[in-house]
């Protein structure tokens, strides 16, 4: 490495945030990327550790020590070449990835890990500002046509890789804008949507065609998943028009809360609440937007989606925000000798929590109550876990005000009407059954149809979606051409 003793000399420097009282007044990003010199110092902390566990901790296998070293030497253009060799969209992962690479960092065994995510963020922002990110159209066309269903990170990665291989790629999206859950699942304060639009322009210049407001499925089923598409195309029609089809939608079926009072007005899935604010930020006019202003908000679910609900509620001006988690409170620090280099279970406090939120663990919602069909309070009880089983703590029942209850308990599977329309075989969890290895990698049980991302693996990270999209593209290319030079 460029600075062999850097990990001994320099401390980790985190990206700076705009102050909470200021950032809750808007929906823009508030993270300040590292300056060039700051990134250089952080790159110097990367050890010559021999076995870079960070590479394997990263789902797309970013070549992390190499780009850290290049940043240390301020060779930014080669750094973005190395980063783009494994990751199509580092401006997304550099902002919203939880950074499993940092959990696997060797330096993290007994010190703060290298700030890999902040370095990645700095590299890609520098590359765009310098004009180094340019379209890469193919030198020749293959004459093959591929349809990609879903424009989230998996679908976009598939499309970009296949277009660069020379295939004619069309991406179909049921919503009115491209991006999938990047567009309508992640708040703008974590990922501003012009970043997606900028990549779209690059991909269009590379030959990718985008078609929005198109639902791929059977006509009678289209309305059942709540989409607003203006056109329906059947899987049979796609297979007739294209040489291969990739279904790469998200895991959009939310986990429900089957308790008395669930039907009351004011109880909503997180994905009924979050996309509306993104639409408003984009300039849409909504007649009946779900707003948290002046309300006592209860968020049920302690993951990232719940945190996004907290941040959005604070920006609406909620009177109070409380977040419940069914599982016990995790430890503040992980047991590194036990878990390294794997992703640890530990208490994580997001930027949204810092803006104002009451958090509680080992709480189960028993029922919701209200008047005139509108929720007014939540009745819960404390639980404890013994031998892997949950038990209510006797006498622990309590109630609290709740004008808006947001269910953010994860997602169970992809939208079944889409999978049913394609007649693909499913696994035990309701995802599309497809292997990731061998000659039929990412190939479904239906001829010409491939799958990648959440539709195959279930609810997961953006970085996993990009990895599967890239690997699926290679499998499709090999299927169409007999072999493939696309990277895995």
């Amino acid at each position: 490495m460029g600075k062999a003793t850097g990990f001994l000399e320099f401390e980790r420097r985190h990206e700076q945030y705009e102050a909470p009282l200021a950032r809750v007044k808007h929906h823009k990003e508030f993270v300040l990327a590292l300056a060039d010199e700051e990134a250089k110092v952080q790159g110097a902390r990367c050890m010559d550790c021999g076995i870079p566990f960070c590479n394997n901790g990263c789902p797309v296998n970013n070549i992390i020590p190499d780009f850290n070293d290049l940043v240390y030497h301020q060779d930014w253009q080669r750094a973005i070449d190395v980063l783009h060799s494994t990751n199509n969209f580092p401006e997304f992962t550099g902002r919203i990835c939880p950074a499993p690479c940092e959990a696997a960092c060797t330096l993290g065994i007994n010190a703060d890990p290298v700030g890999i995510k902040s370095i990645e963020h700095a590299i890609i922002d520098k590359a765009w500002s310098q004009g180094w990110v340019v379209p890469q159209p193919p030198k020749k066309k293959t004459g093959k046509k591929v349809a990609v269903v879903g424009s989230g990170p998996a679908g976009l990665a598939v499309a970009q890789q296949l277009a660069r291989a020379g295939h004619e790629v069309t991406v179909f999206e049921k919503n009115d804008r491209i991006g999938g859950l990047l567009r309508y699942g992640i708040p703008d304060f974590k990922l501003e949507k012009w970043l997606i639009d900028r990549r779209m322009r690059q991909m269009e210049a590379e030959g990718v065609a985008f078609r929005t407001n198109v639902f791929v499925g059977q006509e009678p089923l289209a309305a059942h998943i709540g989409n607003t598409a203006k056109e329906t195309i059947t899987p049979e029609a796609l297979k007739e028009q294209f040489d291969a089809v990739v279904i790469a939608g998200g895991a959009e079926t939310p986990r429900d809360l089957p308790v008395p009072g669930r039907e009351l007005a004011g109880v909503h899935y997180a994905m009924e609440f979050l996309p509306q604010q993104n639409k408003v930020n984009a300039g849409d006019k909504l007649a009946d937007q779900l707003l948290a202003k002046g309300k006592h908000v209860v968020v049920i679910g302690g993951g990232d989606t719940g945190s996004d609900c907290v941040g959005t509620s604070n920006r609406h001006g909620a009177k109070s925000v409380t977040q419940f988690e069914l599982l016990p409170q995790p430890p503040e620090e992980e047991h590194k000798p036990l878990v390294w280099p794997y992703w640890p279970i530990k208490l994580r406090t997001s930027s949204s929590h810092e803006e104002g939120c009451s958090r509680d663990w080992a709480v189960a919602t028993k029922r919701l109550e209200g008047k005139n069909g509108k929720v007014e309070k939540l009745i819960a009880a404390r639980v404890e876990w013994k031998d892997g089983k949950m038990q209510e703590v006797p006498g622990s029942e309590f109630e609290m005000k709740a004008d808006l209850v947001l269910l953010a308990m994860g997602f169970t599977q992809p939208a079944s009407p889409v999978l049913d329309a394609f007649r693909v075989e499913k696994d035990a969890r309701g995802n599309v059954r497809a292997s990731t290895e061998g000659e039929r990698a990412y190939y479904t049980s239906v001829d010409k149809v491939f799958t990648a991302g959440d539709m195959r693996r279930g609810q997961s990270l953006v970085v996993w979606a990009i990895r599967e999209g890239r690997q699926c593209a290679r499998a499709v290319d090999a299927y169409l051409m007999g072999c493939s030079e696309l990277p895995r």
Side-chain angles (χ1 to χ4, degrees):
M1 304 304 295
K3 182 71 171 175
T5 58
F7 71 97
L8 296 172
E9 299 175 30
F10 305 119
E11 294 183 353
R12 172 167 174 152
R13 181 179 176 84
H14 293 273
E15 292 175 316
Q16 299 299 300
Y17 292 175
E18 186 180 354
L21 288 178
R23 67 185 189 238
V24 296
K25 296 178 181 178
H26 62 79
H27 292 270
K28 299 291 186 181
E29 289 183 17
F30 53 82
V31 177
L32 306 178
L34 299 179
D36 289 3
E37 189 63 31
E38 293 173 326
K40 174 179 179 177
V41 171
Q42 294 310 297
R45 296 186 71 241
C46 187
M47 304 168 66
D48 187 7
C49 60
I51 301 176
F53 288 90
C54 56
N55 286 16
N56 289 333
C58 172
V60 293
N61 302 123
N62 278 336
I63 311 170
I64 294 165
D66 289 32
F67 69 62
N68 283 342
D69 184 53
L70 290 166
V71 168
Y72 170 72
H73 287 100
Q74 298 290 277
D75 191 345
W76 293 92
Q77 193 159 6
R78 287 180 62 197
I80 188 56
D81 289 342
V82 170
L83 181 52
H84 265 153
S85 72
T86 56
N87 186 351
N88 293 66
F89 313 119
E91 64 269 44
F92 303 158
T93 54
R95 286 167 165 81
I96 60 177
C97 184
C101 54
E102 295 186 13
C105 175
T106 303
L107 182 58
I109 295 175
N110 59 359
D112 287 336
V114 175
I116 301 167
K117 179 179 174 180
S118 63
I119 295 172
E120 180 177 332
H121 186 182
I123 292 171
I124 185 59
D125 282 8
K126 179 82 167 182
W128 278 109
S129 68
Q130 295 298 312
W132 298 331
V133 185
V134 296
Q136 300 177 37
K139 294 180 180 179
K140 62 179 181 179
K141 293 286 190 176
T142 65
K144 302 293 186 179
K145 299 172 63 177
V146 182
V148 178
V149 181
S151 67
L156 292 178
V158 168
Q160 185 165 63
Q161 293 295 97
L162 288 175
R164 290 176 175 179
H167 305 305
E168 184 179 334
V169 182
T170 303
V171 177
F172 295 88
E173 170 58 52
K174 69 179 185 297
N175 288 312
D176 57 348
R177 296 181 178 91
I178 293 297
L181 292 177
L182 290 172
R183 175 77 64 176
Y184 286 135
I186 297 172
D188 287 30
F189 57 79
K190 291 173 65 175
L191 179 73
E192 292 185 19
K193 307 316 174 199
W194 61 268
L195 294 162
I196 305 172
D197 298 334
R198 184 172 62 182
R199 275 293 176 183
M200 277 181 59
R201 291 192 292 271
Q202 180 200 34
M203 292 174 66
E204 286 173 331
E206 294 171 344
V208 177
F210 293 100
R211 292 185 59 184
T212 57
N213 288 312
V214 179
F215 172 68
V216 177
Q218 298 298 335
E219 192 85 44
L221 294 174
H224 288 216
I225 65 170
N227 77 82
T228 57
K230 299 176 181 178
E231 179 184 354
T232 298
I233 296 180
T234 66
E236 289 72 22
L238 276 190
K239 288 191 288 182
E240 288 178 3
Q241 298 171 29
F242 293 87
D243 299 294
V245 178
V246 180
I247 49 175
E252 297 182 344
T253 305
R255 184 172 285 108
D256 206 348
L257 183 68
V259 299
R262 168 64 179 88
E263 74 286 352
L264 291 171
V267 184
H268 300 275
Y269 290 122
M271 287 304 295
E272 295 176 290
F273 176 69
L274 295 173
Q276 290 191 353
Q277 186 58 54
N278 289 3
K279 287 177 178 288
V280 170
N281 293 343
D284 292 354
K285 303 296 183 182
L286 301 184
D288 298 305
Q289 183 187 359
L290 294 174
L291 292 171
K293 184 175 182 179
K295 296 178 180 178
H296 296 286
V297 180
V298 177
V299 179
I300 301 177
D304 288 341
T305 303
S307 175
D308 293 344
C309 290
V310 170
T312 302
S313 296
N314 282 326
R315 282 159 179 75
H316 284 180
K319 185 174 292 185
S320 69
V321 183
T322 303
Q323 186 176 24
F324 287 148
E325 169 58 62
L326 187 64
L327 297 174
Q329 181 174 345
E332 292 193 10
E333 295 293 336
E334 71 269 37
H335 192 301
K336 289 185 178 180
L338 183 65
V339 300
W340 182 88
Y342 301 107
W343 184 248
I345 296 175
K346 68 175 183 178
L347 182 63
R348 303 178 194 278
T349 299
S350 72
S351 59
S352 292
H353 295 140
E354 294 171 350
E355 294 162 2
C357 175
S358 175
R359 305 168 73 187
D360 207 346
W361 290 264
V363 173
T365 302
K366 297 187 68 175
R367 63 187 183 276
L368 303 163
E369 296 181 357
K371 295 179 181 177
N372 301 318
K374 178 73 172 66
V375 67
E376 291 185 338
K377 60 182 177 179
L378 177 146
I379 288 79
R382 304 204 171 273
V383 296
E384 57 185 0
W385 296 79
K386 294 182 178 179
D387 300 324
K389 296 181 180 180
M390 184 183 72
Q391 299 177 354
E392 182 178 332
V393 177
S396 66
E397 186 173 300
F398 65 96
E399 66 177 53
M400 65 183 309
K401 292 181 178 179
D403 306 309
L404 178 61
V405 178
L406 300 173
L407 309 181
M409 302 174 292
F411 302 85
T412 59
Q413 61 190 47
S416 57
V418 178
L419 306 191
D420 293 342
F422 274 94
R423 298 184 177 88
V424 291
E425 184 179 340
K426 303 177 188 177
D427 63 19
R429 297 183 299 156
N431 303 319
V432 183
R433 186 182 297 280
S435 172
T436 59
E437 303 294 337
E439 294 182 357
R440 294 181 64 84
Y442 297 94
Y443 205 160
T444 73
S445 59
V446 176
D447 185 41
K448 297 172 63 172
V449 178
F450 293 76
T451 188
D454 286 6
M455 273 194 167
R456 193 203 69 82
R457 65 181 292 115
Q459 178 189 359
S460 191
L461 304 175
V462 166
V463 68
W464 270 110
I466 294 173
R467 175 206 172 104
E468 293 220 344
R470 289 171 62 88
Q471 292 190 334
C472 180
R474 178 184 172 89
V476 173
D477 188 38
Y479 166 80
L480 294 174
M481 306 302 295
C483 63
S484 178
E485 296 183 355
L486 286 174
R488 286 180 56 84

